[in-house]
Amino acid sequence: MVTGTEDLAHAVEAAAVMNLLPNRPRLLALGEPTHGDGTLLDVRNALFRQLVEDEGYRTIALESDCLAGLLVDDHITTGRGSLDDVLARGLSHGWGAWEGNRALVRWMRAHNARAEREGRPASERLRFAGIDGPLEITHAASPRAALTELHRWLAAGVAPHLLPSTEETLDRLLGADERWTEPAAMRDPARSFGRSAEARELRLYADELVALLDERTPELIAASSAEEWERARLYGRTAVGLLRYHHWMADRSPARMTRLVGLRDQLMAQNLLALARRGPTLVGSHNGHLQRSRSTMRMDDGQVAWWSAGALAGARLGEDYAFLATAIGTLRDRGVEAPPRNTVEGLLHALPGDRSLVDARRLVAALADRPPAARVSPWFGYAPLDPAHLSELDGIVYVRDVREAGLG
């Protein structure tokens, strides 16, 4: 153990997290170095419960489809829909099948049901949000749902002659959804519909609809509610974001992949900033999406670098954004054994306890005379901490041994 690190470890508790920070942030980002059910989701769920009960947090936001997430939020706030259906349709990437996410949604609904019985105000109810777009690095959804919902909402609140198009025109330009979801488009830009004449016209309509939404804000909120207006803004930025993403899927220049990964995180950041306006929120996503430094990834045609959602949101929010990176010792289900002692994870592995909250700034000071080496992962799905970025962290949640549900 490096001298000076003995008293860096605290219990992973809400009070200890707040003691690391200058104030209670509106966005508390909890990153993870790998996705999967099991120990890491248990840690997240336990921390969220404490943040709700002791620190006034009311929303949790996950790296999942922002539009599909509306189903989860509706279930949590009203009880509509069965838990199985909500998890299957409301969480993308198949993550609704994970027991950790099922336990989270079940607990949040029970919390709200109890609040309803006790007659507590709406401000005491818990909320759920997805921060990702309806896309992944390998594909993107049709903009139909977002664009159509935005048009319908505006059509109910403004004079028809103000709308830039009819819903029938949008439907004609959108065509079959298969145009947009062509699996081969990620590998072959020529298979993408994103730079067709119809797509170009849809981008103009989407821009006009969003401009109209902003322009008529006072009357639209007065006729509905601020909550409904915010939902319309979600539809708007998702429609615009998807059309931009499809545009760059059709690009043939060397900038293509850099723009695609950057656009995904840009949409995430926009969703994060909207949640920050709502109130204190715990954000769960990959470390790479939440870090303050530039993210990198090696692709088939070379390495790409872009600014993460956390970097973009953090630059706007300042101390209202805080980032805790999760680091792990072993993930034996995936062949990740105990870390070398000269790495950050190896140093943390020597600390007592199975789960620790570490003051990143004090750790950096303690390691000033002995810079740690970078850990190398034997499995592509796990990303170790980068020692060069330790100073940009507000804290580290260290989990000694990770078990994945259903494995091992």
Side-chain angles (χ1 to χ4, degrees), residues 34 239 305 336 373:
T34 182
V336 180

Side-chain angles (χ1 to χ4, degrees), residues 254-277:
R256 181 175 184 264
M257 286 309 304
T258 299
R259 291 306 312 275
L260 287 174
V261 293
L263 286 170
R264 182 186 178 196
D265 271 72
Q266 181 186 29
L267 181 54
M268 285 187 185
Q270 292 171 349
N271 288 332
L272 287 176
L273 291 170
L275 289 169
R277 293 192 294 271

Side-chain angles (χ1 to χ4, degrees), residues 13-29 47-59 123-124 126 275-283 292 317-324 394:
E13 297 175 347
V17 170
M18 294 302 146
N19 285 338
L20 293 182
L21 307 174
N23 58 276
R24 183 186 70 169
R26 296 180 73 80
L27 294 182
L28 175 59
L47 180 59
F48 181 58
R49 289 191 186 194
Q50 290 189 3
L51 289 167
V52 168
E53 293 164 358
D54 301 334
E55 301 296 338
Y57 280 70
R58 293 292 177 262
T59 300
S123 60
E124 291 293 307
L126 303 184
L275 289 169
R277 293 192 294 271
R278 177 190 290 179
T281 299
L282 177 67
V283 183
R292 288 188 175 91
L317 293 173
E319 291 185 350
D320 268 329
Y321 181 82
F323 173 43
L324 306 177
D394 294 295

Side-chain angles (χ1 to χ4, degrees), residues 22-97:
N23 58 276
R24 183 186 70 169
R26 296 180 73 80
L27 294 182
L28 175 59
L30 177 64
E32 58 186 20
T34 182
H35 293 311
D37 198 8
T39 308
L40 295 183
L41 297 195
D42 293 341
V43 172
R44 179 203 68 190
N45 291 354
L47 180 59
F48 181 58
R49 289 191 186 194
Q50 290 189 3
L51 289 167
V52 168
E53 293 164 358
D54 301 334
E55 301 296 338
Y57 280 70
R58 293 292 177 262
T59 300
I60 190 166
L62 304 183
E63 185 188 326
S64 185
D65 182 338
C66 57
L67 297 188
L70 295 172
L71 291 172
V72 182
D73 186 57
D74 187 52
H75 173 76
I76 287 168
T77 55
T78 70
R80 278 193 287 266
S82 71
L83 180 60
D84 286 343
D85 182 61
V86 165
L87 289 169
R89 297 194 297 126
L91 289 175
S92 58
H93 304 85
W95 293 345

Side-chain angles (χ1 to χ4, degrees), residues 11 33 43-44 51 69 75 111 189 202 211 213 227 230 242 252 278 303 311 323 338 350 357 390:
V43 172
R44 179 203 68 190
L51 289 167
H75 173 76
H111 180 283
L202 285 167
L213 177 66
E227 173 113 359
E230 284 286 0
L242 279 172
R252 297 173 181 272
R278 177 190 290 179
Q303 185 164 283
F323 173 43
L357 175 68
L390 288 181

Side-chain angles (χ1 to χ4, degrees), residues 312-389:
L312 295 171
R316 298 275 296 273
L317 293 173
E319 291 185 350
D320 268 329
Y321 181 82
F323 173 43
L324 306 177
T326 297
I328 65 173
T330 71
L331 180 57
R332 292 192 170 92
D333 297 325
R334 300 294 186 180
V336 180
E337 299 296 335
R341 282 195 259 179
N342 65 335
T343 64
V344 176
E345 289 86 353
L347 297 169
L348 298 179
H349 210 60
L351 298 174
D354 293 329
R355 303 172 184 180
S356 303
L357 175 68
V358 178
D359 186 330
R361 294 175 180 85
R362 293 184 61 197
L363 178 63
V364 169
L367 297 176
D369 297 329
R370 184 182 173 183
R375 187 182 191 184
V376 178
S377 172
W379 177 52
F380 74 94
Y382 157 60
L385 288 181
D386 185 338
H389 296 159

